[in-house]
Amino acid sequence: METRVWWIEDNKVWIKNYSDGVFTKLSEPANVKVWGVLLGEDFKPEDTHSTGIGLLESPKFPEEFHMALVYNVLGSLYAGKPETIQVAQYWDMKYQQAIVDAKKRKNSIQGGSTIIKGAEF
Amino acid sequence: MTQKQMIEFIKEHHPNESDTKIRILLQSASDDFLAKTHLIKGSLESITGDSDNFDLLGSTSMIEIDRIEVRSGEGPDYEYEQIQRIGNVPTKTKEMT
């Protein structure tokens, strides 16, 4: 039985028909919907923007993690001067912790691993 | 938190930095954070056209693919069906174009 399969090669997505060990080109163009991980929109200088994040708008990921971007920027800016390297490390540490927290939150939202906490009676 | 609020917070620490520079750093931070946490998931649509491959990773905002669905059926009753991913890239001896 012929089935459609896909793979990634040279950073491109390939789709072909497959049957009995043989791959053949699709007989007609296919409408394809690709699900995956996305980067966020671009930050824009306008107040609002239809395809980006305007000054009065927020990134589309959960608000509890928006400060992570601020931590990252502060770490970068403080790292630019030797006398504030330690301050930069503080903000870098907060950024790394935000990444850890975001991964935990993502797993809990998407039904990933659960943590069972013991209780005292 | 809005972009403006982020810039204001950062300027409390670095009042002499320009909004433009801070915006560039926020963009870089956002790309790094989302690449590491995978917080945003969604879909993109494409048509294979004459070629049976399309440039997706690197030319769009998608950085990792979870699954691919192909449209089947015509008119208002069409639906998308998931197709199988293969791990081994076909060699030319097994491929017929």
Side-chain angles (χ1 to χ4, degrees), chain A residues 17-29:
Chain A
N17 290 323
Y18 173 77
S19 179
D20 294 328
V22 177
F23 295 88
T24 55
K25 194 171 179 177
L26 300 178
S27 56
E28 57 184 15

Side-chain angles (χ1 to χ4, degrees), chain A residues 11-101:
Chain A
N11 233 30
K12 290 185 179 179
V13 179
W14 292 76
I15 298 177
K16 282 190 183 286
N17 290 323
Y18 173 77
S19 179
D20 294 328
V22 177
F23 295 88
T24 55
K25 194 171 179 177
L26 300 178
S27 56
E28 57 184 15
N31 287 80
V32 174
K33 186 179 284 188
V34 183
W35 295 86
V37 179
L38 298 169
L39 291 179
E41 295 172 316
D42 291 344
F43 286 87
K44 300 291 186 183
E46 297 85 1
D47 280 353
T48 60
H49 199 281
S50 58
T51 60
I53 305 170
L55 286 171
L56 304 181
E57 297 171 323
S58 303
K60 285 188 168 52
F61 55 90
E63 183 157 4
E64 64 198 270
F65 301 115
H66 290 178
M67 275 298 289
L69 307 191
V70 174
Y71 300 155
N72 181 288
V73 174
L74 289 175
S76 295
L77 290 173
Y78 277 119
K81 300 175 185 177
E83 61 269 26
T84 55
I85 286 291
Q86 282 191 321
V87 181
Q89 289 171 346
Y90 167 78
W91 291 110
D92 283 342
M93 185 182 67
K94 289 186 74 70
Y95 175 63
Q96 294 304 323
Q97 185 58 50
I99 290 175
V100 171
D101 294 342

